[in-house]
Each structure stands twice: as structure tokens, then as C-alpha cells.
Amino acid sequence: MTTPPISSILNKMKEFQIKRVSIAIFFCILLLTGLLVFKDYGVHWDEYNNQNLGHKWRVYILNVLYNGSISKTPLPSVYHMDSLHGPIVEVFLGVVKNSLGLTLLRDILFMRHLVCFLFFFLGIYFFYLLCNLHFKNWKIALLGCLFLVLSPRIFANSFYDTFDIPFLSFYTLSIYTLLRWLDKKTLLNATFHAISCALLIDTRLIGVLIPLFTFLCCVVDFIRITSNKEKIEFIKQNLLYFGLLPIIIILGWPLLWSHPILNFKNVLQETLNTNFPYYVLYLGKLTLGFNLPWHYAPVYILITTPLTYCFCFFLGILTAVKLIIKNDSFIQKRNTFLFILCFFIPLFLTPGKIYNSWRHIFFIYPVFLIFSLTGLLALREAIKNKTKGKLRLLLQNALISLIVLNLGHTIYVMV
């Protein structure tokens, strides 16, 4: 066994230091930016409903504790559409408000904006972990985080949208914990994935998609396992995950405390059967929410997302299909297929369920950016492999310049 040369060790140490410093600088700048601008954003039109939802469920929880009985405590009366959401984030915001002793509406709003941004900040960190796990390249992962920050619609909502932005963060986290568990099948990773999925579902019910995708991935992995010992261990982990998941979901959603199965079934039915009954202005026409065409969400995504990301996204989808067909790596195929499910299934389920642009499906945007990064890498590889000399250099510089100009223009518009 040969000892690696000193120069190689020094280069690895230097690369490691550059990585740590770059990541630290990026997230410090992002956090500082949020702390400087969180007071500059307006009030969400659901602000009162959201606060009221959190307040009523906090009162319910306190009454349950005071009465010492769930059956003796009546459920709060909340707006029909709000009853379809889990109140976990709003309850948390209320706890923060009470802990800080805030009474003035202005102070409460500023606190909510800051905490909402911190949820987004954590979501960006989870996105970094997800991209680094998938691409095995911290620089590409950091570029993906920059794309996510420099997305004007998402960044603005990150200060006041207390349902859709935390849900985006939990969705990203749950995909990461799923891949982490599939790569390293341990009881600890199974537990982390159960917790992340429960947080997801306790925010919005559509989060049940991730446990469904988890089940599908587990079935495929179980079929591929040849050792009986590994199969037994994997079954134990699945029992732990699917056993813990409903327990944590019920603990985090007070509506389920009295009648877990019945109330969950009722919310699921209401969610599937409820369509938005009001008029939406789309393509110059007022259209009822439940009559919006299939292209409503795709059009809104495209007109509110920087063009470079969109162009690379379409390249990424083509690359993903090619990878699934031709690539020999099972892990790459599995991850890519999972990303396709995580992006397109929610998109196909949303007609008649979303309105006021596409904020209800913001959670698929990090996956959109993973495909954008995939397309960008494919374009870079094509330039590298199919061109030579000055033409290669010219195209590489043109690609870098295009990305820098687009990011620069996006920063200018956002500022």
C-alpha cells in the first residue's frame, strides 16, 4: 500500500478549506441579507386567517392540557379551507410570539416575517445537502442554492408565506432524508425520515406523496437485496419508519387527536373534492378556479422564473430521460426517477386546486432546479466532449457569461 504524496494531501486540505469557507460565506451573506430586509416586505392576504388558525389551535391544545381530556374539549371552529391544513407552523409562530411577549401588530408581523425567512434559510441548507448528495459536487450544490435564492417570486414569499415556504423546506428535507436512508440503511436514518415526513404532512396533506414514493423505493430496494440478513434488517427499518410516521403525524396535528383515522380520512376526502370556487385572472380572462386549464401552473412557473433556469430545466428533463434509459448506475436512475415523481405528480394533481399564481406548489421548485442543474451540467459536458481548441474555450466562456449575466440581472431586478 503506497502512501499518497505530500502534495496530494496538501491539495486536498486546501480544497477542503476552500469548500468550508465558501459555504460559510454564502450562508452568512444569505442570513445577513434576510436580517437586513425582512422588514421591507408587505402583509400576505391570508395573514389574518393564518394567525387566527394558529391561535385557535393553541387555545385548543391548552384546553386539552387544562381539562386533562381530549374527549371533553370541543374542536375549534375554523374556516373550511384552513381545516385542510395542519397548523404546526402557525402554532409554533404563536408560541414564539407569546414567548417574546409581543402584543403590537407591527412587532408580531416582523417576527413572523423573520421566522418565515429562517424556515426558508433552513430549506436552502437542506437543498444544499440534497444537491451535494445527488451530484457529489459541493460547487454545483452551492450554485443550486444561489439559483434558489435568486428566484424573485420564491424569495419574496419567503418572508410572509407561512404555509407554502415552510412546506417547501420540509419537502426538500424529506427528499433528502429519503435518499440518505436508501443510501445508508440505518435505524437512525429511518427515524429522521419519519420525522421529516410527519412535519411535511402536518403542514399540508399533499405531503403524503413522499411516504408513497418512499414505499415504492423500499419495494424496489427490497427486491434488489440478495442477503436474507440484509432483508430482515431492512424490514425492521421499514417497520420503524411506517410505525413511527403515523404516531408523529398525530402528535403534530391536534385535529387527529380525538379520532385519528376518521378525521384524517375526512380531511383527505375534503382535500380531493374541494376546488377553488372563485374567479382567477389568467391570460386576460376571468376563469373559475376549478375550470383553470392544465397549463395554468406551467405558464405561471415559466413567467416567474429566470429564463436561464427554464432553458436548463428542459435540457435537464431530456438528460434525465436519457440517463434512465442508458445509464448503468442504479442509484442515478433511482434518484432521477424519484425527482421526476416529486416534480410531475404534484403538478398533475393540482388543476382546480391552486390559484393566485403557483404558490401552492412552490414546494416542487427545488426539484425544478435540480433538473436545471442537470441540464447545465449536460450542456457543459457536451461543450467539453464535442468541441476542441478555441471553439471549446469560446463556448465555455459564453456559457459562463450567460449565467453570470442572468444572475446579475436577477439580482438587479430583486434589489
Side-chain angles (χ1 to χ4, degrees):
M1 181 176 178
T2 58
T3 304
I6 297 297
S7 59
S8 176
I9 297 174
L10 291 175
N11 286 336
K12 288 183 178 180
M13 290 177 63
K14 183 179 179 181
E15 173 73 13
F16 180 70
Q17 289 298 328
I18 292 173
K19 172 184 175 180
R20 290 181 59 184
V21 170
S22 300
I23 294 170
I25 289 175
F26 174 84
F27 282 100
C28 284
I29 291 175
L30 175 60
L31 182 60
L32 181 61
T33 301
L35 294 174
L36 291 174
V37 305
F38 77 92
K39 294 183 178 181
D40 297 339
Y41 287 83
V43 179
H44 194 264
W45 80 331
D46 280 337
E47 182 68 45
Y48 173 76
N49 284 338
N50 293 351
Q51 286 195 53
N52 190 47
L53 177 71
H55 172 72
K56 288 186 174 182
W57 281 113
R58 283 198 317 279
V59 171
Y60 172 77
I61 293 169
L62 292 174
N63 286 337
V64 168
L65 295 174
Y66 178 78
N67 295 330
S69 171
I70 294 173
S71 59
K72 295 179 181 179
T73 308
L75 289 171
S77 174
V78 296
Y79 176 56
H80 166 69
M81 294 294 286
D82 288 339
S83 67
L84 304 182
H85 297 301
I88 188 167
V89 173
E90 284 299 330
V91 169
F92 174 75
L93 288 168
V95 170
V96 174
K97 181 194 77 172
N98 293 338
S99 300
L100 297 176
L102 302 178
T103 55
L104 294 177
L105 180 59
R106 175 183 173 86
D107 294 336
I108 294 171
L109 289 174
F110 284 158
M111 177 277 295
R112 290 172 61 85
H113 286 195
L114 178 58
V115 174
C116 189
F117 172 77
L118 293 177
F119 272 110
F120 181 59
F121 180 82
L122 288 175
I124 294 171
Y125 181 68
F126 300 149
F127 186 59
Y128 168 80
L129 296 177
L130 176 60
C131 289
N132 195 38
L133 180 66
H134 177 61
F135 293 108
K136 311 298 182 187
N137 187 321
W138 68 269
K139 295 176 183 177
I140 297 300
L142 212 55
L143 179 63
C145 292
L146 187 61
F147 283 3
L148 182 53
V149 173
L150 298 182
S151 300
R153 183 60 59 95
I154 302 293
F155 187 78
N157 277 62
S158 72
F159 291 96
Y160 49 74
D161 191 342
T162 54
F163 270 118
D164 303 309
I165 293 302
F167 190 73
L168 176 151
S169 297
F170 293 147
Y171 195 71
T172 307
L173 172 63
S174 63
I175 298 173
Y176 168 70
T177 55
L178 171 55
L179 294 183
R180 179 85 176 172
W181 179 30
L182 294 175
D183 287 345
K184 296 182 179 179
K185 296 179 176 66
T186 66
L187 294 174
L188 187 61
N189 284 341
T191 303
F192 284 149
H193 186 49
I195 294 171
S196 66
C197 288
L199 288 172
L200 186 71
I201 295 168
D202 285 342
T203 306
R204 285 182 58 194
L205 192 59
I206 196 173
V208 297
L209 288 174
I210 295 297
L212 292 176
F213 299 155
T214 299
F215 177 76
L216 179 62
C217 290
C218 287
V219 170
V220 173
D221 266 23
F222 183 77
I223 293 172
R224 294 182 70 250
I225 295 174
T226 56
S227 166
N228 289 332
K229 184 179 179 180
E230 289 182 13
K231 284 189 175 183
I232 293 171
E233 183 62 29
F234 195 39
I235 290 172
K236 289 180 182 178
Q237 293 176 31
N238 278 269
L239 290 174
L240 175 65
Y241 168 75
F242 288 105
L244 271 180
L245 181 60
I247 295 173
I248 304 173
I249 290 171
I250 293 168
L251 287 174
W253 197 341
L255 176 66
L256 306 180
W257 291 356
S258 55
H259 301 285
I261 297 175
L262 178 63
N263 287 347
F264 188 86
K265 178 185 174 183
N266 290 339
V267 172
L268 181 60
Q269 287 178 337
E270 287 292 321
T271 301
L272 294 174
N273 296 330
T274 298
N275 290 309
F276 187 61
Y278 306 111
Y279 282 99
V280 175
L281 181 63
Y282 177 61
L283 298 181
K285 295 180 181 180
L286 287 172
T287 307
L288 283 169
F290 53 79
N291 283 332
L292 287 169
W294 66 268
H295 49 76
Y296 174 79
V299 166
Y300 251 111
I301 293 173
L302 292 176
I303 65 175
T304 57
T305 302
L307 290 175
T308 300
Y309 308 172
C310 296
F311 174 73
C312 291
F313 168 79
F314 290 113
L315 283 180
I317 292 295
L318 294 175
T319 304
V321 173
K322 181 180 177 182
L323 187 149
I324 290 175
I325 295 173
K326 295 185 177 181
N327 198 304
D328 293 330
S329 170
F330 169 77
I331 293 178
Q332 287 292 322
K333 286 185 176 183
R334 181 201 67 196
N335 290 3
T336 303
F337 187 67
L338 177 64
F339 293 144
I340 289 174
L341 290 177
C342 289
F343 182 82
F344 286 103
I345 296 298
L347 199 61
F348 290 146
L349 292 176
T350 53
K353 308 293 183 184
I354 66 172
Y355 48 91
N356 305 129
S357 81
W358 58 291
R359 63 187 176 89
H360 300 93
I361 53 170
F362 276 169
F363 61 92
I364 66 174
Y365 188 65
V367 186
F368 176 97
L369 291 181
I370 286 178
F371 285 119
S372 295
L373 293 171
T374 301
L376 183 62
L377 290 174
L379 186 58
R380 187 185 70 173
E381 284 300 307
I383 292 173
K384 180 180 177 181
N385 295 332
K386 297 187 177 182
T387 59
K388 295 181 180 180
K390 292 183 178 180
L391 179 60
R392 177 193 292 176
L393 185 62
L394 178 65
L395 291 176
Q396 287 175 337
N397 290 334
L399 180 61
I400 294 171
S401 299
L402 179 65
I403 294 170
V404 171
L405 286 173
N406 187 248
L407 294 179
H409 177 261
T410 303
I411 292 173
Y412 175 78
V413 170
M414 289 173 68
V415 172

